[in-house]
Amino acid sequence: MQSSSLYIERNSGLHALHPLTKLALLGLCLVLAFALPDIRWLLAAFGLLLLPLAAWGRILAPFARSGFSIILPFVISLALIQGFFAGGDTALLTLGRFAFTWEGLLAGLTVSARLLVALGGTLLLMLSTRPDHLMLALTERGLPQALGYIVLTALQIFPRFQDRARVILEAQQARGLETQVNLLRRLRLLVPLIGPLILASIVDVEERAMALEARAFSRPGQKTSLISLHDSGFQVLLRTGLLLAALALIVWRLLPLVRA
Amino acid sequence: MITLKHFGYRYPNTEAWALRKISLEIPDGQFVGVVGANGAGKSTLCYALSGFAPHFYRGKTEGRLHLNEVDVLESSLGDLAGEVGLVFQNPFNQISGARYSVREEIAFGLENLGLPPSEIETRVSQVLAQSDLSELAERSPFALSGGQQQRVAIAAIMAMQPSVLVLDEPTSQLDPHGTREVFANLDALTQERAATVVLASHKLEWLAAFCDRVLVLHQGRLVADGEPAQVLADEVLLDYGIGGTRYTLAARAAQQGGLVSAQRALPVTLDQAREFFR
Amino acid sequence: MNGFRKEFSTLTLVLIPVAIAINVAIGQLAITLKLPLYLDSIGTILVGVLVGPWAGAITGFLANVVWTLSGLFPQAIAWAGVAAIIGALAGAFGRAGWVNSWSRAALAGIITGFVAAILSAPIAAYVFGGVTGTGTDAVVAMFRSAGLDALGANLGQGAVSEPLDKAISFVVVWAVMLALPLRFKNRFGNVEE
Ligand SMILES: Nc1ncnc2c1ncn2[C@@H]1O[C@H](COP(=O)(O)OP(=O)(O)O)[C@@H](O)[C@H]1O
Ligand SMILES: [Mg+2]
């Protein structure tokens, strides 16, 4: 019930990296995803950079599983929509007045590959980094602590809310909420369900706030942290390198535009 | 030392005073129970002692409320947090949500106080051992039962080592075993660290067994204040809708039925009951 | 920045994750029930109306961060800015008293929906190649087959689904506001009664 993030505990070099280092890696991946010129480069980046990193992090299987299930709907949508509507001369298939073209398919697959590289970078970070460590790293660099609190708490309490919603739903299913075809009817059944769900949780807010205050949450002054994140000179260098590489890529892609 | 002088409190937008004209002194190290029917003002008294009424709820106060030299009515919640700890009834609402293990959850308040990590480490380990939570230390606070969560919530406040610990019906979700543990821990706290404990509860038998003193609230007024043996044995508690301990009630029935001499003082604990019925 | 500080009491801070959890729980409920609506921003709109535009914006933005981090909908982060604007608009409409009657709440929802559609479309069109990787891509395909380009088709898709979705969400928030104790609403003070 409490696993509300993708994080998978493993003993690996990737896991041991400072969250900011992995964030810099994600930054590079995002730039790669939108700067690399064609699908071969993109697939090479995925196969030669991201997959080995996932293997190094001992998260290859979940990486592949999550990656596949997330990217698949994009591949289908993009291949179909671009295939039919992006134009091109090499028709592979004609349906009435619409031609499914090779050029369109390639364009769709290229966008898919871009998304795959971006997604891969995101997954590497998320699968190998505890959300609280990520937030701590950002808080240490000046992110307001309140934002970290909001994100971490939301991540931990929403499964609880989903459980409540599920309980309400199961109690109501007998009344034919799901089988009801008429949309308006279904909505009218839904509102009395979610109303109490919202109200009950909102009323708890007051006590939750007091409990936080009792823990000195809004005490002014410096706060400390029990956990300390491991960082090293090498990683600082690595982060700088990753960000410089990302910057170089951007310049390399934008230069022709500036000249023209 | 906690001092209340003609203290009164009214929630915003209400007519009636939730607490009125309360005068009271609680010396350091006392274990004080608070009883009263629903709506009598137990929670409000807890909030007042910890500064939440008025600093969180706003509303009006009258009279004075001091904690040692500190004027609670003039302080901020941030300043009071290290001095007075407050524990609630509902465990889920007390889990901060921002921490991923019981150990870190207990550390949360100490981090906010800005203690050095080594000190946090020491205090957390101590409290974990004391509260019998060491085995759960690495678990997610959200993966615990309500009773376990409540023990974590209490431990998290204890770790902050406040000089006053205020608890509002903290054991209503606990089984007898958990309740005993909480009471015994609080008792140890008052003995070893001279911390003051104020605990509102309906569990009269437990209050009788552990408290040095019991306060009775009725419609916002302090209507009785004294040793548990006197206060809890008093028939007037029936009028306040509080009842009595099961020992008192049984003994009173026995007296009224003529089974036991009417001279004998009514018992409030098991030991006293044993003596009474011998 | 003054309004910003005023909105951010500890109470607001605690309300926001609860609102995000409401977004997720009801959004997933809508999926389970196969409703042709998202219903994934009711919490965001509620915070906007109850607390104010800044709090609404932060809630919307962080809700999408949470959708991403939870792995439930990783692409959500790309629309975090749009979600923030939805929350801010809800705050503005709340402050202007539009959420005091259900009909004006619905109108506020329709306007918010159109704004959301206009802002979301370029993101789908230019970042995701004209799709969102969800069921609504079928609607996008329909518009493409009618001859619209990627941007136009996504705009069309948004214009079909967003205003209705946001109108219903605003009306739900109107109902919740009615039911909330005055004592509670007074603690925030975006709405004058
Ligand atoms: N937040 C509040 N706003 C207004 N009135 C309140 C509030 N909380 C409690 N009260 C009122 O204050 C009185 C005392 O309540 P409370 O302290 O909760 O009693 P107890 O804890 O003994 O049941 C009751 O009349 C109750 O209705
Ligand atoms: Mg109470």
Side-chain angles (χ1 to χ4, degrees):
Chain A
M1 178 203 89
Q2 68 279 11
S3 91
S4 52
S5 77
L6 289 176
Y7 174 69
I8 292 175
E9 193 172 343
R10 289 284 149 81
N11 201 349
S12 87
L14 184 67
H15 283 68
L17 285 181
H18 192 275
L20 289 181
T21 309
K22 287 182 266 192
L23 212 52
L25 180 66
L26 169 58
L28 178 64
C29 287
L30 292 178
V31 172
L32 280 173
F34 293 95
L36 288 179
D38 67 49
I39 189 164
R40 278 166 305 172
W41 281 96
L42 289 161
L43 291 180
F46 187 78
L48 301 178
L49 178 66
L50 294 174
L51 279 182
L53 282 171
W56 180 51
R58 300 171 60 189
I59 46 169
L60 197 53
F63 178 82
R65 216 180 309 121
S66 296
F68 182 76
S69 66
I70 293 167
I71 206 70
L72 187 65
F74 279 103
V75 174
I76 295 172
S77 284
L78 281 165
L80 286 176
I81 290 185
Q82 302 262 35
F84 274 112
F85 305 114
D89 308 320
T90 328
L92 298 175
L93 174 76
T94 3
L95 268 182
R97 62 194 173 91
F98 298 111
F100 186 81
T101 65
W102 164 246
E103 289 84 356
L105 177 64
L106 190 64
L109 290 180
T110 306
V111 177
S112 301
R114 294 194 190 288
L115 296 180
L116 186 65
V117 173
L119 174 68
T122 314
L123 283 178
L124 278 184
L125 172 71
M126 283 164 38
L127 287 166
S128 72
T129 315
R130 271 173 52 163
D132 55 337
H133 289 183
L134 178 61
M135 287 301 154
L136 176 62
L138 293 172
T139 314
E140 283 176 349
R141 299 301 150 114
L143 182 86
Q145 156 168 344
L147 298 189
Y149 163 81
I150 292 172
V151 169
L152 293 176
T153 305
L155 277 173
Q156 291 206 86
I157 62 176
F158 84 71
R160 183 84 184 218
F161 281 60
Q162 278 183 302
D163 289 346
R164 284 189 204 168
R166 209 169 296 130
V167 169
I168 296 177
L169 190 64
E170 273 157 19
Q172 294 293 326
Q173 239 152 15
R175 299 196 197 166
L177 198 57
E178 243 181 341
T179 48
Q180 189 58 253
V181 254
N182 185 322
L183 171 62
L184 216 61
R185 283 256 185 83
R186 254 192 293 173
L187 267 174
R188 219 179 288 154
L189 284 171
L190 187 69
V191 171
L193 297 188
I194 56 184
L197 178 75
I198 299 176
L199 284 172
S201 37
I202 296 286
V203 169
D204 270 359
V205 163
E206 209 162 42
E207 196 168 284
R208 293 185 67 86
M210 289 169 76
L212 265 194
E213 294 287 15
R215 309 278 290 285
F217 187 69
S218 60
R219 178 186 159 278
Q222 191 64 43
K223 305 194 171 186
T224 48
S225 171
L226 174 65
I227 26 182
S228 58
L229 300 168
H230 174 74
D231 204 356
S232 63
F234 171 70
Q235 286 199 57
V236 176
L237 217 66
L238 186 59
R239 287 202 286 272
T240 319
L242 287 167
L243 292 178
L244 282 179
L247 209 65
L249 260 167
I250 295 176
V251 171
W252 171 63
R253 282 294 282 184
L254 290 185
L255 218 51
L257 295 178
V258 176
R259 277 211 197 108
Chain B
M1 168 94 104
I2 304 171
T3 320
L4 285 81
K5 265 209 188 109
H6 305 299
F7 178 78
Y9 174 75
R10 212 171 77 185
Y11 284 100
N13 308 313
T14 58
E15 296 295 315
W17 291 82
L19 296 174
R20 27 188 138 189
K21 299 257 154 43
I22 296 190
S23 293
L24 168 76
E25 277 186 2
I26 305 176
D28 293 346
Q30 224 173 36
F31 191 151
V32 182
V34 180
V35 300
N38 281 333
K42 301 183 296 298
S43 298
T44 310
L45 181 62
C46 291
Y47 301 157
L49 293 175
S50 46
F52 285 90
H55 298 309
F56 180 82
Y57 280 103
R58 307 192 186 122
K60 275 205 164 56
T61 60
E62 57 175 28
R64 294 199 302 141
L65 170 51
H66 280 255
L67 169 62
N68 300 324
E69 268 66 65
V70 180
D71 184 346
V72 173
L73 302 181
E74 296 296 319
S75 314
S76 73
L77 285 178
D79 295 333
L80 290 169
E83 289 302 311
V84 194
L86 179 62
V87 174
F88 302 85
Q89 181 177 357
N90 180 337
F92 178 65
N93 287 343
Q94 295 177 82
I95 302 297
S96 75
R99 291 294 180 268
Y100 276 57
S101 71
V102 167
R103 176 189 301 283
E104 291 156 22
E105 175 67 23
I106 293 177
F108 180 67
L110 308 179
E111 296 173 335
N112 290 334
L113 288 176
L115 298 181
S118 57
E119 161 104 30
I120 298 181
E121 192 89 55
T122 321
R123 284 209 204 173
V124 171
S125 308
Q126 244 171 24
V127 163
L128 281 171
Q130 256 167 25
S131 317
D132 206 14
L133 287 168
S134 299
E135 274 163 33
L136 304 178
E138 305 310 327
R139 295 264 293 273
S140 159
F142 288 89
L144 306 180
S145 72
Q148 291 169 328
Q149 281 182 340
Q150 184 66 324
R151 280 164 49 210
V152 171
I154 297 174
I157 293 292
M158 278 189 184
M160 296 171 77
Q161 301 186 349
S163 57
V164 178
L165 193 57
V166 181
L167 306 96
D168 187 11
E169 304 194 33
T171 62
S172 50
Q173 309 248 355
L174 299 185
D175 58 10
H177 177 74
T179 304
R180 165 171 300 280
E181 212 157 86
V182 167
F183 271 90
N185 266 332
L186 293 172
D187 195 36
L189 211 61
T190 56
Q191 315 249 332
E192 289 159 19
R193 283 205 12 250
T196 308
V197 172
V198 179
L199 186 152
S201 175
H202 289 290
K203 295 186 175 174
L204 303 183
E205 291 79 10
W206 293 97
L207 294 176
F210 282 94
C211 290
D212 304 315
R213 176 177 177 188
V214 172
L215 311 177
V216 181
L217 289 178
H218 180 62
Q219 296 179 348
R221 290 178 202 280
L222 180 62
V223 290
D225 174 1
E227 293 197 4
Q230 289 166 2
V231 173
L232 293 177
D234 197 334
E235 201 160 358
V236 76
L237 290 197
L238 292 175
D239 298 337
Y240 298 141
I242 299 166
T245 71
R246 64 171 74 109
Y247 314 114
T248 316
L249 297 179
R252 190 177 291 135
Q255 270 183 345
Q256 283 162 354
L259 297 175
V260 186
S261 148
Q263 307 307 318
R264 231 181 265 181
L266 291 173
V268 296
T269 64
L270 180 58
D271 287 344
Q272 290 170 4
R274 236 181 240 133
E275 195 62 30
F276 181 89
F277 284 110
R278 179 154 296 152
Chain C
M1 284 317 265
N2 233 342
F4 186 82
R5 291 217 171 278
K6 221 178 96 198
E7 287 176 27
F8 277 84
S9 64
T10 306
L11 208 55
T12 305
L13 212 63
V14 172
L15 177 67
I16 293 176
V18 169
I20 294 175
I22 290 173
N23 281 354
V24 176
I26 298 180
Q28 296 287 96
L29 203 62
I31 293 172
T32 314
L33 290 176
K34 302 198 182 62
L35 292 175
L37 299 166
Y38 311 118
L39 297 187
D40 59 356
S41 43
I42 293 179
T44 303
I45 295 168
L46 180 64
V47 172
V49 170
L50 193 59
V51 188
W54 284 106
I58 299 261
T59 308
F61 190 93
L62 293 182
N64 282 37
V65 171
V66 167
W67 280 105
T68 295
L69 286 180
S70 68
L72 287 175
F73 191 59
Q75 57 267 48
I77 188 93
W79 285 277
V82 182
I85 289 172
I86 293 174
L89 280 176
F93 282 121
R95 195 160 281 181
W98 281 45
V99 190
N100 296 343
S101 81
W102 75 266
S103 51
R104 278 212 283 177
L107 188 58
I110 291 170
I111 296 172
T112 307
F114 274 113
V115 173
I118 291 168
L119 296 175
S120 303
I123 296 171
Y126 299 120
V127 180
F128 293 96
V131 304
T132 54
T134 61
T136 52
D137 286 346
V139 183
V140 174
M142 220 181 62
F143 278 108
R144 294 293 296 260
S145 71
L148 291 175
D149 64 359
L151 184 60
N154 276 282
L155 259 175
Q157 185 277 119
V160 167
S161 34
E162 292 282 356
L164 179 66
D165 177 61
K166 297 299 176 290
I168 290 172
S169 300
F170 265 82
V171 172
V172 169
V173 168
W174 162 79
V176 168
M177 289 295 287
L178 267 189
L180 276 179
L182 186 62
R183 178 175 92 64
F184 189 81
K185 281 185 280 192
N186 278 341
R187 306 239 29 181
F188 298 98
N190 191 42
V191 259
E192 307 279 330
E193 302 254 340

